[in-house]
Amino acid sequence: PASSYREPPPSVLGPPIPVKGEPVDAPSRPSESPIIPVSTEGLLPPSQNEVRTAFEPESPSKTRSASLRAPSGSTAIPASGIESRGESKLVHADTDPVNALLDTRATLGAETASTSGKFSDHLDGILGQRCEWFKSDHAFDGFISPVTNPFLFEDPRSLTEVRPIYIYQKVPGGQADFGGGNIQYFGVQGRVAITNRWSIVFNKLGGIWLNPDSAFIGDQGGFAELWLGPKYTIIRNETTGSLLAGGLQFQIPVGSSSVYQDTGTLSLVPWLTYGQSFLRDCRAGSFNGLVSTGYSISTNNQRSDYWYISAHVDLDVLNWHRIYPLFELNYFLYTTNGTSTPIGSEGRDLINFGGRAEGNGMLSGAFGARFKINEMAQFGAAFEFPWAGNRDLFDYSWTLDFILRY
């Protein structure tokens, strides 16, 4: 009501001071939206380094006008400065990932096919590491191959080599059938390393000569049996110097009948060989040991079956990898008789008569050496003599070989 109206009290500060100039309009922005400038220098791409407003209400028209405005830079940037015509395979943060995938899919696919997925790469995991096809495993060059019992005493390494072998074996003068004389063998072995674990071995390929002192048996010569089979290196530890290999040998009697090399049909010989190096830090030289064992099983009753075990130890003199004095042991035990030849003896690794020698066993020892001209060429020699058991056709023997290794 009018009666309740009162005049405002006088101003304590006095009347307002007049300001010269034109009046300034208040901003059109709502009072509840204070303008706070925020610098985005270094946080956004150069094209977006501008002052944004916090709490700025969304406006479709403002967004459209900002995105369609002219660039603020005064210098044009060529397209070649932004794109390298397919040379760069990096996807930028402001690039559409779908388009980037479509642009680089063909290039990435071709590059992947050329650097992976090779058939040989898959074989490496199954067969062993393929350093070079058919190259011998040279990680264990401190070892040497055994000399005696060469057709059965197998080196555990995967090797590619050619090895000529000559054996001279003296027959005891009291032998009932031969009455003395000698047996000689000359042939070659071959090994092919497929990987550093898998290899194929041709154990026996050559000829044999019988020179008995008997008046009833004349001198004879002919082709020997063919022995071959696969080999796999099961353990191959370079740190400990350990090797273990196994295989299956096929003894195929395709030789001459005049020298008893056609007995029966086939014998199978599963075998294992273990190798170990010792005292590798010794100044006088390191030692290497080998042990091999196997069992010859005839597929019929015409051939004799036997078990064998061989051992080898050598000294790498002063670790020169040149001179290796060695000592070896060989033991044969015949477990079944054959039915091919009416003879009471057997010929160990040279002849399978198929005779009646069940229970006959003989232990022999050998001294020798191997000399390496280099890892590619080396030769060995050993003299073997019986220690215990039935001598059969064995009085003593010399074994000589020469190795050409890849």
Side-chain angles (χ1 to χ4, degrees), residues 92-298:
H92 299 284
D94 55 349
T95 304
D96 187 344
V98 176
N99 291 333
L101 176 62
L102 295 176
D103 292 339
T104 61
R105 181 177 60 179
T107 304
L108 292 175
E111 184 174 277
T112 302
S114 63
T115 58
S116 64
K118 296 179 181 178
F119 180 66
S120 60
D121 295 338
H122 298 292
L123 286 179
D124 290 350
I126 301 172
L127 302 178
Q129 183 181 358
R130 177 184 54 82
C131 299
E132 291 184 34
W133 287 104
F134 310 121
K135 187 175 183 179
S136 297
D137 184 1
H138 289 287
F140 299 87
D141 282 346
F143 283 85
I144 62 171
S145 298
V147 178
T148 61
N149 194 18
F151 312 125
L152 295 169
F153 198 173
E154 183 63 26
D155 192 310
R157 295 171 292 175
S158 182
L159 302 171
T160 295
E161 66 183 21
V162 176
R163 182 186 180 189
I165 298 174
Y166 173 74
I167 299 174
Y168 176 89
Q169 179 173 306
K170 184 68 172 68
V171 179
Q175 208 279 333
D177 302 288
F178 280 64
N182 62 75
I183 303 173
Q184 299 181 56
Y185 170 89
F186 180 76
V188 65
Q189 286 186 339
R191 292 172 176 84
V192 179
I194 301 174
T195 69
N196 58 8
R197 292 187 181 271
W198 280 104
S199 59
I200 299 174
V201 182
F202 297 87
N203 305 86
K204 182 190 285 189
L205 178 62
I208 192 168
W209 289 264
L210 302 181
N211 304 293
D213 288 341
S214 173
F216 303 100
I217 303 177
D219 296 347
Q220 301 288 340
F223 287 104
E225 293 184 346
L226 174 63
W227 294 6
L228 55 85
K231 178 171 74 175
Y232 180 72
T233 302
I234 304 167
I235 296 175
R236 181 184 175 278
N237 193 320
E238 299 180 32
T239 304
T240 61
S242 304
L243 289 162
L244 176 65
L248 180 64
Q249 183 185 87
F250 298 85
Q251 297 181 349
I252 308 172
V254 292
S256 175
S257 60
S258 61
V259 286
Y260 309 98
Q261 300 296 303
D262 65 339
T263 304
T265 304
L266 175 68
S267 287
L268 303 176
V269 187
W271 58 268
L272 288 172
T273 298
Y274 178 75
Q276 181 65 56
S277 61
F278 304 93
L279 303 175
R280 286 183 287 177
D281 297 330
C282 181
R283 293 184 179 181
S286 59
F287 291 87
N288 301 300
L290 299 171
V291 178
S292 180
T293 186
Y295 188 73
S296 178
I297 310 168
S298 176

Side-chain angles (χ1 to χ4, degrees), residues 27-38 51-57 62:
S28 60
R29 202 175 292 275
S31 59
E32 65 272 16
S33 300
I35 300 175
I36 303 175
V38 179
V51 177
R52 294 296 177 88
T53 305
F55 307 105
E56 182 178 358
K62 182 176 180 180

Side-chain angles (χ1 to χ4, degrees), residues 46-65:
S47 62
Q48 300 181 16
N49 283 333
E50 58 183 76
V51 177
R52 294 296 177 88
T53 305
F55 307 105
E56 182 178 358
E58 298 180 359
S59 174
S61 61
K62 182 176 180 180
T63 303
R64 180 180 297 275
S65 62

